[in-house]
Structures are given as C-alpha cells and as structure tokens.
C-alpha cells in the first residue's frame, strides 16, 4: 500500500477524516495523471472561482451573518467578495507571464548553455482557513494554488458552519472534486488535515495553532505557509494629523468588530497628545457607528466564548488600575454580541490586554515619550503581522520602518496593504512564515525548478578525469574569468 494511503481503513474515523482521505487520494492520482494543466485549464478554473463567488454572493453574505450573529453586509461584500474576485482577476491577468520560464544568465565559461527557472505545479495543496474572513481566506489562497496548476483541498473553520456549508455546495457545484474540493469537520479533521502529506499546506489562524500545524506537517516534511496573528502596532508620530489618524485607526479597529488579523492591536502615541488622540478616536468611532446596538453595519463578536474573553480583557485591565473609555453602549441583553470600541488607557504591561492578541474592538492607548521608546516597545515583543505609521516626517517614518521588522506596512492608514495584489502578504517571525497574493502566491504554490540546458557545442569533458596538464590550463583560464 502506498505511504499516502497506508492509514486509510480505520472504521473509527469521522466523516470529515474519511472524506479527506478519499479526496486526497483522488487529487494525488489526478495530479500524477495530468501534472501540468494548460494555461487555458487554469484560466477556466479561475473563472469557476469568480463565478461561484459572484453567483453565491447573497448566500455567502447571509451565511456569514448567521455565523457571526450579525456580519455587516458591506463588510462581507468588500472584504470577502470584492477582495477575492479582484485577486482572482489579477491572477488571470498575469498568469501567462507568471507561467513563463524565467531566463537567468549563465556564466561566460559555460556559454552557450542556457539557464532557466521553470515554474511547475507542486501537486495537491491543503488550505486551512479561519472564521474571521471565512470566504476570502479560503478562496484567495485557492486561487493562487489553482493559478499555479495545482489541485486544492480546503478545510474551513468549524466556527462558521453556515459559511462552510455554503462554500462546500458552491465549490462542489462548480468544480470536479479532483481539482478543488472542501472538507468540513471539527478539530479532529483539522488535525488529520495537517498530518496529510500535502505538497504544500497553507494555514491561516492563530500563532499557537500555527505551531501545532508546523509540527504535524514537519513529520511529512510538508512545506508550510503560516499566515498567523499577533499584536500589530499603530504609531502616531508627533508630526501626525491626529484627526485623520484617529479616523483611520477607528475604522481599522472596528471593521469586523476588530476581528481582523491585521487590525491595529494597540496605539503608541506621544504622551503629551494622548488625550487628544483618545478624544479624536472616540469622535471618529461615533461617526462611523452612531448606534452600535441597532445598526446592521457593525459586526458582532463571533461567539459567546470570544465575547466573554474580550469582556474579561477589559475587566482585567480595570482591576489592574487602567482607565477605560467605552464609545457608545452595548445593550444589556445584547442578543447579537455587539461590543463597543473600548479604549484602555495606559494599561499595565502585565495586563492580559497587553499579553495576547486582542482580536476584538478593544484598543490600548499607550503613551510614549520619544521614538526610541516606541521602537523598544515594538522590538521587545514578537514581530507583528502589520505595522501602521502616521505622520508627515518622512525621515522619522523611514527610521521606524528600518528599525522594526514586521509583516506588511501601511503608512498613514490601516489594512490597505492587504488589498494590493502586487505586494506579498504574510508575517515574519511569530506572525508567520511565507507569503501569498499576486506573484508571491503563484511562486509559493509552484516548484520553481532550476534547469540548466547544456549546449551541444559545450566541451565540459575537458574537466573530466584523468586530470592532466591540459586540465590545469583550462582551470587557470576559468579561474581568471570567474
Ligand atoms: P485558529 O488558529 O483557532 O483556527 C484556524 C483554523 O485551524 C480553523 O480552521 C480550525 O478549525 C483549525 N484548527 C484548530 N486547531 C487545529 C489543530 N490542532 N490542527 C489543525 N487545524 C486546527 O484561528 P481562528 O480563531 O479561526 O482565527 C483567528 C486567528 O487567526 C487570529 O490569531 C488571527 O490573527 C489569525 N488570522 C491570521 C490571518 C493572516 O492572514 N495572517 C488572517 C486571519 C486570521
């Protein structure tokens, strides 16, 4: 029995695990039978992705909202539908160029041989997606993997069952399952997924689970791309326009109720402008969402567990002496788990809100006295997934960007670097390994195969043994021209 299927006949396995094993074997065979899908086939697969996303828009909007309690319709359309479709269209536009062999130069003494890097499909790609942008974070990596000519299995989060079902139905209706399929199931299916010998595994989720995924994948030496989380700072420089920075920070923090991997986690502000920053963010938040209880524009916290986790972060900071500014109120009954923007002013560093990724609309505002202190604050912590800098002083900006190592950066705004398909998207250190989007995604899911084409006019046998004086002469000429 081949290694890939050796563990296949255990009756105690869940439906999800059995379906995973069947689909993996099917896709593996399909890849062996047809390892290099043509440009036309790949374009047709990308068209299928666009079609299934657009045709099911209403179903996806409703399913995600049902999963969250309330997910703002426009947020789903912008962040799930539009971002996904524009990413797929970008791949379609550039695919011909991406598929071409890359010419690289060959050293003089080896001419007229040629050297090329030829992108090759890896085979079967596994994608594990989280609940916070459950459609985009399943389909955007799938688009990159299909563009690169692979087969794809997607394992969505168990926390968004309605979306997972809608996604399963949409993908099943559009794709042959030997090309792209969805596997649903609980944590045990997730674990089995990470133990499957994929040709590449892309995981989007939290850093602690990312560690487990990397450990499980390492047993098969499955290469991984880990799109993780962390605490992303927003730095308000003393040269910043506070009102403009506040509006952008409030938006970045309140979109999807802060349940965004690249949301600003905390703000670093000059101490003498802290109160101005707090008032400006509060005003901006009120303007964005005047009535958080009743508006459908403000998204709910995804589950009771996360809701009480976030509430206890605030309680812990209060207990440790921090002042808290809550913008707007939350209904006492709160059937939709709406949590207002809550600023925590200069919390002690041992408070939970400064120890873990917040992933909700709670915003620590931290006073710093100078740029060095801001740099130390960031560099004393794990490398963030994103970094935001606000100001007009380009020299100060460049100093901060050179002295911090983060995933992506947006200057004078939040979030938007993620929507630039020409920029690779990914973290660094504890916020992730590898990247996708645009060219980076195509190359992540390709084997960039180096090929040396020897010329029939080559005379490399002059370097073969037995070594003679002639060999030494040739060697000495080669060493001179190197
Ligand atoms: P999570 O790590 O709890 O779960 C992510 C996925 O992993 C889910 O599909 C889940 O079913 C699966 N999973 C859970 N345990 C597993 C295990 N032991 N083995 C294999 N799979 C397992 O994350 P989440 O709560 O769904 O998402 C929130 C986190 O994701 C935050 O930390 C956020 O910053 C991060 N995130 C990162 C990005 C990014 O692009 N870098 C994007 C969105 C979210």
């Amino acid at each position: 029995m081949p290694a890939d299927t050796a563990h296949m006949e255990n009756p105690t396995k869940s439906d999800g695990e059995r379906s995973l094993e069947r689909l993996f074997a099917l896709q593996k065979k399909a890849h062996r039978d047809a390892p290099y899908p043509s440009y036309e086939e790949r374009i047709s697969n990308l068209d299928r992705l666009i079609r299934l996303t657009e045709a099911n828009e209403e179903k996806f909007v409703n399913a995600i909202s049902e999963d969250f309690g309330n997910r703002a319709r426009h947020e789903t359309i912008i962040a799930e539908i539009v971002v996904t479709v524009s990413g797929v269209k970008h791949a379609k536009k550039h695919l011909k160029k991406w598929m071409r062999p890359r010419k690289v130069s060959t050293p003089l003494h080896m001419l007229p041989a040629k050297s090329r890097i030829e992108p090759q499909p890896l085979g079967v790609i596994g994608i594990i997606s989280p609940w916070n942008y459950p459609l985009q974070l399943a389909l955007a990596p799938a688009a990159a993997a299909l563009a690169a000519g692979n087969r794809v299995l997607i394992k969505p989060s168990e926390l968004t069952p309605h979306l997972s079902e809608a996604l399963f139905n949409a993908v099943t209706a559009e794709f042959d399952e030997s090309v792209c399929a969805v596997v649903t199931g609980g944590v045990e299916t997730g674990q089995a997924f990470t133990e499957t010998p994929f040709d590449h595994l892309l995981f989007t989720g939290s850093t602690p689970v990312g560690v487990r995924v990397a450990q499980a994948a390492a047993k098969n030496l499955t290469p991984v791309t880990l799109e993780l989380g962390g605490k992303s700072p927003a730095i308000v420089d003393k040269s910043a326009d506070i009102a403009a920075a506040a509006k952008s920070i409030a938006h970045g923090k309140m979109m999807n109720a802060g349940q965004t991997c690249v949301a600003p986690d905390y703000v670093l502000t000059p101490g003498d402008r802290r109160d101005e920053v707090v008032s400006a963010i509060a005003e901006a938040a009120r303007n964005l969402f005047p009535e958080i209880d009743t508006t459908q524009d403000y998204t709910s916290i995804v589950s009771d567990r996360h809701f009480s986790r976030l509430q206890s972060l605030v309680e812990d900071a209060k207990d440790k002496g921090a002042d808290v500014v809550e913008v707007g109120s939350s209904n006492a009954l709160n059937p939709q788990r709406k949590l207002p923007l809550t600023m925590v002013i200069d919390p002690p560093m041992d408070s939970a809100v400064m120890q873990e990724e917040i992933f909700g609309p709670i915003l620590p505002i931290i006073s710093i006295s100078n740029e060095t202190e801001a740099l130390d604050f960031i560099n004393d912590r794990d490398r963030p997934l994103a970094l935001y800098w606000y100001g007009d002083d380009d020299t100060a900006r460049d100093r901060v960007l050179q002295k911090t190592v983060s995933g992506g950066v947006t200057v004078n705004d939040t979030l938007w670097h993620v929507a630039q398909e020409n920029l690779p998207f990914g973290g660094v250190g504890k916020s992730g390994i590898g990247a996708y989007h645009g060219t980076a995604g195509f190359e992540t899911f390709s084997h960039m195969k180096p090929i040396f084409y020897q010329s029939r006019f080559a005379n490399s046998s002059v370097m073969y043994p037995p070594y003679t004086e002639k060999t030494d002469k040739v060697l000495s000429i080669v060493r001179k021209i190197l």
Side-chain angles (χ1 to χ4, degrees):
M1 193 177 283
D4 293 348
T5 53
H7 53 299
M8 277 194 173
E9 280 149 19
N10 182 344
T12 64
K13 289 187 174 172
S14 67
D15 289 350
E17 288 168 278
R18 274 196 293 274
S19 151
L20 165 64
E21 289 176 347
R22 182 183 67 76
L23 288 166
F24 179 72
L26 182 78
Q27 293 201 351
K28 200 76 191 157
K29 180 173 182 315
H31 170 72
R32 284 177 64 158
D33 292 346
Y36 195 89
S38 66
Y39 169 77
E40 288 73 21
E41 283 171 281
R42 299 185 200 194
I43 290 289
S44 147
N45 286 335
L46 295 175
D47 281 335
R48 285 172 200 279
L49 278 184
I50 294 175
R51 221 166 27 236
L52 81 82
T53 307
E54 290 183 337
N56 292 286
E57 177 172 318
E58 214 43 42
K59 281 187 192 148
F60 291 145
V61 165
N62 294 334
I64 297 174
S65 198
E66 210 161 329
D67 286 328
F68 274 70
N70 177 60
R71 158 65 93 72
R73 176 184 179 78
H74 282 87
E75 287 182 354
T76 298
I77 292 175
I78 295 166
E80 312 268 9
I81 307 286
V82 174
V83 170
T84 302
V85 169
S86 70
V88 185
K89 285 186 176 166
H90 179 92
K92 277 185 67 183
K93 189 167 160 204
H94 296 276
L95 184 60
K96 204 163 250 168
K97 186 166 144 237
W98 291 346
M99 286 177 70
R100 271 187 217 132
R102 279 72 163 150
K103 290 183 190 167
V104 293
S105 62
T106 300
L108 190 62
H109 61 281
M110 293 194 168
L111 293 176
K114 286 184 203 146
S115 306
R116 300 266 190 276
I117 299 170
E118 303 196 1
Q120 178 177 33
L122 282 166
V124 184
I125 307 298
I127 293 168
I128 302 181
S129 50
W131 53 264
N132 65 327
Y133 291 97
L135 185 69
Q136 185 216 132
L137 296 172
L139 294 187
L146 290 169
N150 299 286
R151 324 261 155 184
V152 178
L153 283 182
I154 301 169
K155 211 292 290 170
S157 168
E158 64 282 1
L159 280 190
T160 47
H162 295 95
L163 182 276
S164 299
E165 193 187 338
L167 183 64
F168 175 89
N169 291 337
V171 169
T172 308
E174 197 61 66
F175 280 99
D176 188 288
E177 59 185 10
S178 67
V179 176
C180 183
V182 175
V183 178
T184 54
V187 170
E188 80 296 331
T189 307
Q191 280 163 354
F193 206 85
T194 56
E195 287 160 12
T196 301
F198 286 108
D199 296 295
H200 194 103
L201 183 62
L202 182 141
F203 167 81
T204 306
S206 61
T207 301
V209 176
V211 171
R212 274 181 261 150
V213 168
Q215 284 169 339
K219 287 186 191 150
N220 296 309
L221 286 184
T222 296
V224 287
T225 299
L226 301 177
E227 299 284 344
L228 309 177
K231 293 181 83 63
S232 300
I235 306 157
V236 179
D237 185 65
K238 56 182 189 296
S239 65
D241 171 341
I242 301 266
K247 198 172 170 184
S248 149
I249 291 168
H251 173 253
K253 190 65 170 181
M254 295 181 82
M255 178 165 180
N256 208 27
Q259 300 164 110
T260 303
C261 56
V262 287
D265 189 271
Y266 62 90
V267 174
L268 296 177
T269 171
D272 57 359
R273 302 192 74 182
R274 184 194 74 184
D275 294 346
E276 203 187 328
V277 166
V278 170
S279 309
I281 293 177
E283 190 188 336
R286 273 191 295 270
N287 288 336
L288 291 172
F289 301 102
E291 298 288 339
I292 68 157
D293 291 347
T294 49
T295 181
Q296 299 299 302
D297 285 349
Y298 191 59
T299 293
S300 303
I301 301 304
V302 72
S303 67
D304 291 340
R305 183 174 71 80
H306 280 285
F307 194 73
S308 44
R309 176 184 67 81
L310 290 163
Q311 285 177 317
S312 58
L313 288 183
V314 177
E315 289 314 312
D316 172 72
K318 277 187 190 162
D319 290 349
K320 293 196 165 89
D323 284 337
V324 164
V325 176
E326 190 181 289
V327 186
S329 64
S330 52
N331 183 328
L333 298 172
N334 207 347
Q336 289 192 322
R337 293 186 299 272
K338 298 270 188 75
L339 196 64
L341 177 71
T342 307
M343 284 180 273
V344 182
I345 317 300
D346 282 318
M349 288 306 119
D350 65 348
S351 54
V353 83
M354 290 314 298
Q355 296 290 321
E356 58 185 76
E357 179 183 6
I358 295 170
F359 221 57
I362 300 169
L363 185 63
I365 308 287
I366 293 154
S367 308
I368 37 115
S369 43
N370 55 43
E371 187 183 290
T372 309
E373 205 180 306
L375 289 169
D376 285 344
F377 195 95
I378 295 164
N379 290 328
D380 281 347
R381 290 169 170 73
D382 290 336
R383 292 175 165 178
L385 178 61
L387 183 141
Y388 304 109
W389 188 91
Y390 294 88
D392 282 335
D393 179 348
D394 295 354
T395 315
R397 176 201 64 202
D398 292 349
R399 268 197 311 269
V400 170
L401 297 192
Q402 282 167 10
K403 292 182 180 179
T404 52
V405 182
S406 63
V409 170
T410 291
V411 173
N412 283 322
D413 211 339
T414 52
L415 313 183
W416 289 109
H417 61 280
V418 178
Q420 313 312 311
E421 283 292 315
N422 286 320
L423 294 176
F425 175 64
V428 58
K430 294 262 172 69
S431 59
I433 295 175
Y436 70 114
H437 286 195
T439 320
F442 180 86
E443 294 190 356
T444 287
F445 295 120
S446 296
H447 173 46
M448 300 303 287
K449 186 186 270 182
I451 306 180
F452 179 71
Y453 291 95
Q454 183 59 287
S455 161
R456 64 195 166 94
F457 302 112
N459 193 9
S460 48
S461 60
V462 292
M463 299 299 278
Y464 294 175
Y467 301 119
T468 61
E469 233 174 81
K470 195 175 160 203
T471 320
D472 286 335
K473 271 190 194 149
V474 173
L475 202 49
S476 110
I477 293 167
V478 168
R479 292 174 72 164
K480 274 189 195 128
I481 61 172
L482 281 179

